[in-house]
Amino acid sequence: MPAAGPFSPVRLLVTSGSALAVLGTLHQVVNHRRLRRPPAVPPPVGTPVSVLVPARDEAPRIASTITSLLAQRGVADLEVLVLDDGSTDGTADVVGATAVGDARLRVLPGVPPPAGTLGKPHACAQLAAAARGDVLVFVDADVVLAPDAVAAAIAMLRDPAPLALLSPWPRQAVSGPLARLVQPLLAWSWLTTLPLRAAERSRRPSMAVANGQFLVVEAAALARAGGWPAVGGAVLDDIALARAIRRTGGHTGVGDGSSLATCRMYDTGRDLHAGYRKSLWAAFGSPVGAVGVAAALLVVYVLPPAAALAGSRTGAVGYAAGVAGRVLAARFTATSRWDAVGHPISVLTTLALLVSSWTGRVRGTLTWKGRTL
């Protein structure tokens, strides 16, 4: 990095970026204190609960999910519905063999999505239409729940202030170097930038965060928002659903689900690249928004470490703040805390995925599980 005078633009950017990195990490400390957490012993749930699993070609992994769902405690009236969304790998057979005749579980044959509707929201819409629960718990087929997870999640939904929708954020299991770089940024991003309690009180759609891996919603609130058909064309359907619920008067929020659920989103780096490529373009609203976020990340989390390598003490402070923020968020990802040292590389890798995603979007080449997006 070339030498910079005391009032040079580069020095100003390094100072500004480092200051924002420190503020982001301090904000994350506040968020950790205010984050909804599950009770050690959740109260029993007396209302009917439907656990809903959309599944498309999930035979290698869904058995563990089903086993964990049927082992739930503290829910007196529980049903588990699995929608087989056109699987070609025997997913439904695996589910049936795992359930071994448990009457609480049903496998539903899925109907292909109509034009303009994406596969997962259409699958979730079919599940919600068949469910009888007052509370609907959507669980992805790659998520494994702890025995008290559903009861604890419902307790978080209703306390300290009732929400219409809650995302108990699962712990992310990772495989391979690319996942170790990218997956920790999922929880880190909202912990650093979103004022959690203010977001819960607000109904502004822009303050909604959600994770469809494990999603708990009051059935009545979902119906008022128009259900999953209202977000049928959204690539980030979970966030779109939370925004729809906010628009119709409901409150949404995020909770600590790291002790309740584990999700292995991708088995390989190739799977991870495909998964992020299909949806990352939609994360920031527009190309202008994506460019703005990318520029901010570079200034706050890449430029200070680069300046630190050139001897800048200010840059070293900014780099240390970014690493500290990653360490604070480490409970949500099954990686070593030492991975946080590579935080600037994680940011650059994610930005490369963002470019790849927008390239696919512009060219119309995005697909997922055999379906064009």
Side-chain angles (χ1 to χ4, degrees), residues 43-88:
V45 180
T47 55
V49 177
S50 299
V51 181
L52 310 174
V53 184
R56 179 174 171 84
D57 291 335
E58 300 286 359
R61 60 179 69 189
I62 199 170
S64 297
T65 300
I66 299 303
T67 299
S68 74
L69 298 182
L70 296 178
Q72 289 303 298
R73 301 184 298 221
V75 184
D77 188 355
L78 176 74
E79 71 169 352
V80 179
L81 304 181
V82 179
L83 187 110
D84 182 20
D85 185 18
S87 299
T88 59

Side-chain angles (χ1 to χ4, degrees), residues 1-5 8 10-19 302-320:
M1 177 175 294
S8 73
V10 172
R11 185 181 293 271
L12 180 61
L13 284 174
V14 170
T15 301
S16 300
S18 296
V302 177
L303 182 60
L309 290 174
S312 168
R313 293 182 179 180
T314 302
V317 170
Y319 170 59

Side-chain angles (χ1 to χ4, degrees), residues 14 17-22 25 188 299-309 312-327 337-346:
V14 170
S18 296
L20 289 171
V22 170
T25 298
W188 169 84
V299 169
V300 179
Y301 295 109
V302 177
L303 182 60
L309 290 174
S312 168
R313 293 182 179 180
T314 302
V317 170
Y319 170 59
V323 170
R326 275 283 300 275
V327 170
R337 288 174 181 252
W338 287 103
D339 286 356
V341 173
H343 186 53
I345 301 173
S346 293

